[in-house]
């Protein structure tokens, strides 16, 4: 780190409120963020002073409600400056922030508000909480003082609901920040469990601040970097890496309009840093593959050659390969192929930080070969969340990298990855038993992930509890198989079955657009009735298994049920972080699963 970099350390600021005000002090008139104003139909810049002015308004609104240090306040908003303003105003009073996913189900939202005993709930739009805003809400949540929204509340007469313009003071009074210690509780983040009720992860100011700072010094960033924020701030990955870390650095943040507008926003904003998840790469990869399928043999070969030569360049940069004459073709291949794809990602990306799930080796190889620098990492909400990531000068994209400073790792029983250090959570809110089960007496957090550690790199090899044991005793990692099958643009969502069964089967949701091409190639109608044809079922199964050649012979899908109805948060089949709710999916397809194993 050079002297020119104006990083804020956990020594110069002891909590997340201090971090914000230290950044305001150092960078008052510099651009903090930009967002798209729907009314003006243009991108708006906000300085750190602009943000601080709004924080003061929210601080005083909270204070006028009589809130005390330690009270919980919840926010259910898409990424925008208001998220930061709410967050920092709460910290300035020592309040505890409880993020809620905007796409979560009403029953989960109600549970979180009740379990955390939330006093103020800031929502984006009352329409999204329509089922919550009933007359019984005050009886169900007697300590909830106020629901605030920026949206129009015409048509809603709930006594707790207020429009922000009516609730916030019209002027910015001076404020008196509450003394907050670094070890004080900053936030309760409810993990979207695939089974049972979500657990509230308690993270202190120091947990989060140190994790953000450790991430910042692990690789080169500076105030000229521009982060594009699109992953939900309710998830700790985006919150730490895409909000607090830029604040530590003094970098700018641009808030994407939506996932649907992401492709356009990438081009318009041209970010240098992207905090992302594998699903984004999967979508782009599938789109590329779909387009290539309609191109000539020469075009497909040219693309493959560009990836191959670019990958060799990467290996040489990493000192894992020697020079080869094919590298002489890089400028031409970049002009004809790679540059066109990189331009669609904005053209300025220095680093794409990928986390949240495993990135397919083939997809990683493709994008790195095309010239996109990907640093794959790993973390959990309980670890604030980053445990490890790849340093760019020692980048193994098939690993999840090396541990951050201040993070200690080792392998436990059954090769479970254990994590220790000051970024490990304080525990689970009102759940001492779950805390004891997660953190042992020596302070090691049990991740539940199986791993191996080689040459300082961590490789996640599967989940301790997500291993299918077939009736013949063979063990299969379902998520690895699902990830490989989902590389095909035809297969949107996949769940593999086979626990205590003689063979593997799968429930697969088809992509409707790709199905049009497939059905046409088969000479059948594009409606669901064609799925019942034996020839179609056989062709689909054959296509599924082409992606499983890297697995043992017993890890093949023998039978499958194909459907068009997507698994969504609203129908209760996936979590807000897009994890499969396997038990719920099994319940939905109980008859179909029975048929898949009929006679066996």
């Amino acid at each position: 780190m050079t002297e020119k970099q104006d990083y804020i350390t956990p020594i110069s600021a002891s909590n997340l409120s201090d971090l914000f005000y230290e950044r305001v002090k150092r960078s008052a008139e510099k651009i903090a963020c930009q967002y798209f104003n729907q009314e003006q139909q243009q991108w708006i810049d906000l300085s750190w002073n602009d943000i601080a002015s709004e924080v003061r308004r929210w601080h005083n609104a909270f204070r006028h409600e009589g809130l005390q240090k330690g009270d919980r306040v919840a926010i259910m908003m898409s990424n925008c400056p208001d998220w930061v303003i709410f967050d920092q105003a709460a910290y300035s009073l020592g309040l505890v922030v409880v993020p809620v996913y905007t796409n979560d189900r009403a029953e989960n939202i109600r549970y979180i508000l009740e379990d955390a005993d939330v006093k103020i709930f800031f929502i984006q739009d009352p329409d999204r909480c329509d089922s919550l805003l009933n007359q019984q809400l005050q009886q169900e949540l007697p300590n909830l003082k106020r629901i605030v929204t920026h949206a129009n509340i015409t048509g809603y007469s709930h006594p707790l609901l207020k429009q922000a313009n009516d609730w916030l003071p019209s002027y910015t009074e001076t404020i008196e920040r509450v003394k907050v210690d670094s070890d004080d509780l900053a936030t309760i983040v409810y993990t979207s469990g695939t089974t049972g009720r979500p657990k509230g992860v308690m993270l202190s100011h120091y947990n989060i601040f140190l994790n953000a700072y450790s991430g910042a010094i692990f690789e080169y960033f500076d105030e000229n970097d521009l982060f594009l924020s699109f992953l939900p701030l309710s998830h700790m990955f985006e919150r730490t890496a895409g909000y607090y870390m830029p604040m530590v650095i003094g970098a700018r943040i641009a808030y994407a309009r939506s996932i649907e507008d992401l492709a356009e926003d990438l081009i318009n904003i041209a970010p240098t840093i992207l905090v992302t998840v594998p699903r984004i790469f999967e979508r782009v990869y599938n789109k590329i593959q779909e387009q290539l399928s309609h191109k000539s043999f020469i075009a497909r070969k040219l693309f493959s050659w560009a990836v191959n030569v670019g990958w060799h360049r990467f290996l040489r940069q990493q000192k894992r390969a020697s020079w080869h004459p094919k590298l002489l073709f890089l400028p031409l291949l970049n002009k004809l192929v790679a540059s066109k794809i990189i331009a669609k990602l904005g053209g300025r990306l220095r680093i794409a930080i990928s986390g949240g799930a495993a990135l397919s080796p083939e997809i990683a190889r493709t994008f790195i070969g095309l010239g996109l620098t990907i640093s794959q990492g790993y973390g959990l909400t309980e670890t604030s969340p980053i445990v490890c990531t790849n340093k760019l000068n020692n980048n193994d994209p098939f690993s999840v990298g090396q541990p951050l400073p201040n993070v200690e790792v080792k392998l436990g029983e059954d090769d479970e990855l254990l994590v220790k250090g000051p970024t490990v959570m304080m525990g689970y809110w009102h759940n001492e038993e779950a805390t004891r089960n997660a953190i042992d007496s020596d302070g090691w957090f049990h991740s539940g992930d199986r791993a191996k550690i080689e040459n300082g790199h961590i490789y996640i090899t599967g989940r301790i509890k997500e291993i299918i044991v077939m009736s013949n005793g063979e063990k299969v990692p379902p998520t690895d198989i699902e990830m490989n099958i989902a590389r095909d643009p035809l297969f949107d969502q996949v769940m593999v079955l086979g626990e205590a069964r003689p063979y593997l089967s799968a429930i697969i949701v088809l992509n409707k657009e790709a199905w049009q091409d497939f059905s046409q190639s088969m000479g059948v109608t594009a409606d669901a009735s064609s799925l019942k044809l034996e020839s179609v079922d056989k062709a689909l199964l054959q296509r599924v298994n082409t992606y499983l050649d890297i697995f043992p012979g017993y890890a093949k899908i023998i039978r499958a049920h194909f459907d068009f109805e997507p698994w969504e948060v609203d129908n209760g089949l996936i979590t807000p972080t897009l994890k499969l709710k396997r038990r719920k999916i099994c319940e939905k397809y109980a008859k179909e699963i029975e048929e898949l194993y009929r006679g066996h």
Side-chain angles (χ1 to χ4, degrees):
M1 189 169 69
T2 66
E3 292 181 1
K4 292 181 179 180
Q5 289 175 338
D6 193 21
Y7 284 23
I8 299 172
T9 73
I11 296 174
S12 56
S14 62
N15 58 61
L16 295 172
S17 180
D18 287 350
L19 167 62
F20 170 71
Y21 279 101
E22 182 63 23
R23 177 51 63 201
V24 173
K25 178 182 173 183
R26 297 187 189 188
S27 309
E29 298 304 328
K30 291 182 179 178
I31 302 302
C33 64
Q34 55 191 129
Y35 71 101
F36 190 79
N37 186 298
Q38 292 293 345
E39 293 181 2
Q40 300 179 29
Q41 284 295 295
Q42 63 179 353
W43 289 91
I44 304 295
D45 292 340
L46 294 178
S47 70
W48 288 103
N49 265 346
D50 293 332
I51 299 289
S53 179
E54 287 301 300
V55 167
R56 288 195 292 273
R57 291 180 71 204
W58 277 87
H59 170 102
N60 285 305
F62 283 144
R63 188 164 56 83
H64 293 158
E65 290 284 4
L67 298 185
Q68 302 297 312
K69 180 181 178 181
D71 282 345
R72 275 74 60 199
V73 292
I75 178 170
M76 191 175 79
M77 293 279 291
S78 298
N79 297 13
C80 63
D82 284 331
W83 217 106
V84 175
I85 290 163
F86 178 95
D87 195 50
Q88 290 299 333
Y91 291 152
S92 68
L93 284 166
L95 304 177
V96 177
V97 175
V98 181
V100 179
Y101 286 97
T102 58
N103 60 350
D104 210 346
R105 305 176 75 195
E107 62 189 66
N108 264 2
I109 297 170
R110 184 179 281 105
Y111 171 77
I112 290 170
L113 297 178
E114 180 180 9
D115 188 62
D117 192 20
V118 166
K119 299 294 192 296
I120 304 290
F121 188 26
F122 183 34
I123 62 176
Q124 185 161 329
D125 190 335
D127 289 343
R128 297 192 183 187
C129 295
D130 192 29
S131 58
L132 273 177
L133 299 175
N134 54 49
Q135 296 306 312
Q136 289 76 43
L137 188 64
Q138 284 178 291
Q139 286 74 43
E140 295 168 353
L141 303 170
N143 293 324
L144 184 63
K145 292 173 175 283
R146 189 77 58 213
I147 300 174
V148 183
T149 179
H150 276 309
N152 192 321
I153 61 173
T154 303
Y156 288 92
S157 59
H158 198 282
L160 296 182
L161 185 63
K162 277 252 188 179
Q163 199 160 0
N165 287 341
D166 298 328
W167 184 67
L168 291 166
S170 58
Y171 54 93
T172 57
E173 305 172 36
T174 57
I175 65 171
E176 293 183 13
R177 290 196 288 142
V178 169
K179 184 181 184 303
V180 176
D181 293 328
S182 61
D183 291 332
D184 283 347
L185 178 62
T187 189
I188 304 172
V189 182
Y190 282 80
T191 58
S192 48
T194 54
T195 59
R197 290 292 194 183
K199 298 191 292 287
V201 176
M202 297 189 293
L203 298 175
S204 71
H205 285 263
Y206 191 65
N207 285 153
I208 300 168
F209 193 167
L210 183 63
N211 197 243
Y213 178 73
S214 298
I217 64 173
F218 200 64
E219 197 49 70
Y220 177 81
F221 301 97
D222 67 29
E223 62 181 8
N224 297 314
D225 275 318
L226 173 59
F227 288 66
L228 182 62
S229 175
F230 72 94
L231 298 179
L233 278 165
S234 44
H235 195 293
M236 279 309 300
F237 180 38
E238 176 65 30
R239 195 165 161 199
T240 296
Y243 160 23
Y244 299 122
M245 194 169 83
M247 193 177 290
V248 166
I249 298 161
R252 290 178 296 148
I253 303 170
Y255 295 103
R257 290 171 292 171
S258 67
I259 290 291
E260 291 74 25
D261 295 314
L262 183 60
E264 188 178 336
D265 287 350
L266 279 165
I267 294 171
N268 292 336
I269 297 300
T272 62
I273 310 293
L274 190 67
V275 178
T276 186
V277 290
R279 186 60 182 150
I280 299 302
F281 293 119
E282 289 167 5
R283 286 175 176 170
V284 178
Y285 176 86
N286 289 343
K287 190 72 173 176
I288 292 171
Q289 295 302 315
E290 185 182 357
Q291 291 171 348
L292 284 173
S293 68
H294 299 292
K295 291 185 178 295
S296 67
F297 171 79
I298 295 175
R300 294 197 298 272
K301 200 68 178 173
L302 198 61
F303 178 84
S304 177
W305 197 23
V307 171
N308 180 274
V309 176
W311 178 252
H312 191 93
R313 171 193 54 196
F314 168 76
L315 293 179
R316 185 166 180 261
Q317 290 170 341
Q318 297 292 320
K319 298 180 173 57
R320 297 176 199 144
S322 57
W323 187 86
H324 190 280
K326 65 184 177 183
L327 293 173
L328 293 171
F329 292 94
L330 265 175
L332 177 63
L333 291 170
N334 182 60
K335 181 179 179 180
L336 294 176
V337 181
S339 63
K340 296 176 182 178
I341 294 173
I342 296 301
K344 292 181 179 180
L345 298 173
R348 294 201 310 148
L349 269 181
R350 291 201 306 107
I351 310 171
I353 305 167
S354 180
L359 180 62
S360 159
E362 176 60 26
I363 294 176
R365 183 181 179 277
T366 297
F367 283 102
I368 289 174
L370 292 170
L372 177 62
T373 301
I374 297 177
S375 173
Q376 188 174 190
Y378 166 86
L380 307 102
T381 304
E382 289 88 343
T383 55
S384 303
I386 309 168
V387 171
C388 53
T389 189
N390 275 280
K391 289 186 74 70
L392 299 190
N393 62 2
N394 188 9
N395 186 1
D396 180 353
F398 307 140
S399 79
V400 291
Q402 307 100 317
L404 291 190
N406 307 300
V407 175
E408 192 177 349
V409 299
K410 72 174 183 178
L411 299 182
E413 186 178 351
D414 205 16
D415 289 333
E416 182 181 16
L417 183 65
L418 308 184
V419 184
K420 190 176 184 180
T423 58
V424 171
M425 68 172 178
M426 302 168 71
Y428 293 111
W429 177 256
H430 290 165
N431 198 335
E432 292 183 7
E433 181 181 358
T435 302
R436 285 194 300 271
N437 290 336
I439 304 175
D440 63 29
S441 57
D442 293 323
W444 289 97
F445 171 74
H446 290 243
S447 70
D449 287 311
R450 186 177 282 110
K452 64 178 181 179
I453 302 174
E454 295 178 357
N455 300 318
H457 283 77
I458 300 171
Y459 301 81
I460 302 299
T461 59
R463 285 287 296 170
I464 297 293
K465 296 180 180 179
E466 285 185 10
I467 295 293
I468 288 176
V469 182
M470 297 193 291
S471 58
N472 60 6
E474 300 289 4
K475 296 179 180 179
V476 177
T479 51
D480 291 350
I481 293 176
E482 290 158 0
M483 181 173 65
N484 265 9
I485 295 172
R487 284 166 45 200
D488 191 315
L490 181 57
F491 308 128
D492 262 356
Q493 293 169 302
V494 183
M495 189 180 85
V496 172
L497 306 158
E499 181 68 28
R501 303 281 196 172
Y503 55 81
L504 296 182
S505 65
I507 308 292
I508 298 176
V509 177
L510 299 174
N511 179 286
K512 291 181 180 179
E513 290 183 14
W515 167 252
Q516 297 285 335
D517 291 338
F518 180 83
S519 59
Q520 187 176 359
S521 70
M522 290 288 295
V524 298
T525 59
D527 58 38
S529 64
S530 297
L531 294 175
K532 298 178 182 179
L533 296 174
E534 185 177 346
S535 60
V536 172
D537 185 72
K538 185 177 179 180
L540 286 170
L541 265 178
Q542 185 176 2
R543 185 157 166 170
V544 164
N545 282 302
T546 58
Y547 293 92
L548 304 183
D549 291 341
I550 62 172
F551 296 96
Y554 55 80
K556 293 290 181 283
I557 304 300
I558 304 302
R559 301 188 69 184
H561 172 76
F562 299 96
D563 201 357
F564 290 108
E565 183 184 349
W567 304 335
E568 298 173 337
V569 175
D570 287 344
N571 59 26
L573 300 180
I574 60 173
T575 72
T577 52
L578 308 184
K579 295 184 178 71
L580 302 182
K581 290 192 172 183
R582 297 178 185 272
R583 182 172 59 81
K584 292 288 187 181
I585 294 172
C586 286
E587 289 174 1
K588 174 178 173 60
Y589 293 99
K591 291 182 180 179
E592 289 80 1
I593 293 171
E594 184 181 349
E595 189 63 32
L596 291 175
Y597 290 100
R598 186 176 297 279
H600 294 277

